Amino acid sequence: MQAFDHPFTGGRPDHYPSRSSLPAQFLPRRDPVIYAQNRASAPVPRVLLERYERDGFIVLESLFDAAEMAEFQREFTRLQQVPGDIPRETVITEKSGRDMRSVFAIHQSSPVFARLAADPRLVDLARFLLDDEVYIHQSRINYKPGFRGRDFYWHSDFETWHVEDGMPRMRAVSISITLTENRACNGPLMLIPGSHLKYVVCEGTTPEEHFRTSLKEQEVGVPCDRLLETLVAERDIQVASTSPGSAIVFDCNTMHGSFSNITPHPRANAFFVYNAVSNSVGAPFCERPPRPWYIRAVPPVTAGAAEHRTEEDH
Ligand code: 6CS
Ligand code: FE
């Protein structure tokens, strides 16, 4: 399929058009899943690499020990208790009221989570998978409190990061660290294996300041029922239920979601999104301004990225 040329991209090719004039459909993935050339140097066993390439995600059980987890949980509790410590705009509450839903840019608000974001167990894996230097495109804690933690409807992160943040290609990976028990009952991450290999074109258009609603309840940039049914019919949903201190590593385009938490057991996960520097975000692939700094980090200024951004930002 030829790249799509929107009237507003100034001739910049869009290889993954969505929320445009195209009807809902699958487009083929045009990018590798694992970019590394030499798999012998992988920081995880080959069997996990093969599973990641096939499924679009892997779970690394007990990556962090109890002492490390205790520190992360203390820090998360602190972040909730002293809102003054973190910029107010980074706290997203549930649609229904005051309950905290997410806190963004935790790698910038918290020295503890800044250290976690830079931990070699995460960064070395991201660098390997993306075969590039990486930067944090986005970090957050999704805190699905007991009784009232609401769902995250099915979506591909890449579809949003491409359309709204200007991420050119599928060369980013999310690593989610479980801060609490992720049980089958309290709204764990659900993923559709193999979904990362297809790009789900979504209908509709991006509303103004979409992030003010999408981070509470996403209704635009989500797959239609027909395409979701097709993905699930090919390979059924898998639930990432796991203990605290595990890492769920998933490709930027893997379809995922999670249901509401009506149990007394909170489900809190920290997410770090590593983007390849060569895939630095540029102008959005929609007619809206870039999203704010705490959702879409400004990429590092390096020679390559600067040239890349200049070209992109025409
Ligand atoms: O819009 C975003 O970037 C956020 N939305 C979701 C549902 N997942 C990725 C990210 O946190
Ligand atoms: Fe997501």
Side-chain angles (χ1 to χ4, degrees), residues 104 138 140 142 152-153 155 157 160-161 165 214-215 218 256 291 295:
F104 279 79
Q138 180 184 106
R140 65 194 184 277
N142 282 349
F152 289 80
Y153 190 71
H155 63 282
D157 292 336
T160 291
W161 297 338
D165 294 343
S214 67
L215 298 182
Q218 188 169 359
H256 63 285
R291 298 197 295 172
I295 306 174

Side-chain angles (χ1 to χ4, degrees), residues 179-258:
L179 302 180
T180 63
E181 289 286 342
N182 277 227
R183 305 177 180 203
C185 65
N186 68 341
L189 202 59
M190 300 188 293
L191 306 109
I192 304 176
S195 59
H196 62 308
L197 300 173
K198 291 189 174 87
Y199 182 65
V200 176
V201 174
C202 301
E203 295 182 349
T205 50
T206 305
E208 255 185 76
E209 297 206 324
H210 184 216
F211 61 93
R212 296 200 187 286
T213 53
S214 67
L215 298 182
K216 291 176 180 287
E217 185 175 37
Q218 188 169 359
E219 294 179 331
V220 173
V222 295
C224 69
D225 294 358
R226 175 176 61 85
L227 297 184
L228 200 66
E229 281 167 343
T230 305
L231 287 175
V232 173
E234 285 167 0
R235 293 190 63 193
D236 207 349
I237 298 163
Q238 290 189 17
V239 177
S241 47
T242 183
S243 51
S246 300
I248 305 164
V249 184
F250 57 109
D251 178 83
C252 58
N253 189 47
T254 302
M255 192 64 67
H256 63 285
S258 60

Side-chain angles (χ1 to χ4, degrees), residues 97-290:
R98 310 294 311 146
D99 289 295
M100 181 185 283
R101 179 173 171 87
S102 304
V103 181
F104 279 79
I106 56 170
H107 69 295
Q108 291 168 301
S109 309
S110 155
V112 171
F113 288 120
R115 197 159 14 95
L116 176 55
D119 190 297
R121 287 167 282 187
L122 309 187
V123 178
D124 291 352
L125 178 55
R127 279 197 185 122
F128 174 83
L129 293 172
L130 308 177
D131 194 28
D132 198 353
E133 285 309 313
V134 296
Y135 73 96
I136 299 277
H137 167 65
Q138 180 184 106
S139 71
R140 65 194 184 277
I141 291 177
N142 282 349
Y143 177 38
K144 198 176 277 190
F147 303 112
R148 289 178 300 280
R150 296 304 311 276
D151 62 296
F152 289 80
Y153 190 71
W154 294 106
H155 63 282
S156 151
D157 292 336
F158 176 74
E159 192 275 348
T160 291
W161 297 338
H162 177 72
V163 172
E164 298 192 56
D165 294 343
M167 185 182 283
R169 305 302 289 255
M170 296 179 183
R171 194 168 187 172
V173 59
S174 285
I175 303 186
S176 173
I177 308 301
T178 53
L179 302 180
T180 63
E181 289 286 342
N182 277 227
R183 305 177 180 203
C185 65
N186 68 341
L189 202 59
M190 300 188 293
L191 306 109
I192 304 176
S195 59
H196 62 308
L197 300 173
K198 291 189 174 87
Y199 182 65
V200 176
V201 174
C202 301
E203 295 182 349
T205 50
T206 305
E208 255 185 76
E209 297 206 324
H210 184 216
F211 61 93
R212 296 200 187 286
T213 53
S214 67
L215 298 182
K216 291 176 180 287
E217 185 175 37
Q218 188 169 359
E219 294 179 331
V220 173
V222 295
C224 69
D225 294 358
R226 175 176 61 85
L227 297 184
L228 200 66
E229 281 167 343
T230 305
L231 287 175
V232 173
E234 285 167 0
R235 293 190 63 193
D236 207 349
I237 298 163
Q238 290 189 17
V239 177
S241 47
T242 183
S243 51
S246 300
I248 305 164
V249 184
F250 57 109
D251 178 83
C252 58
N253 189 47
T254 302
M255 192 64 67
H256 63 285
S258 60
F259 50 77
S260 296
N261 182 10
I262 58 170
T263 74
H265 312 298
R267 189 230 70 176
N269 291 4
F271 292 75
F272 300 98
V273 180
Y274 298 90
N275 189 27
V277 170
S278 57
N279 192 41
S280 288
V281 293
F285 286 93
C286 69
E287 290 187 281
R288 300 295 180 201

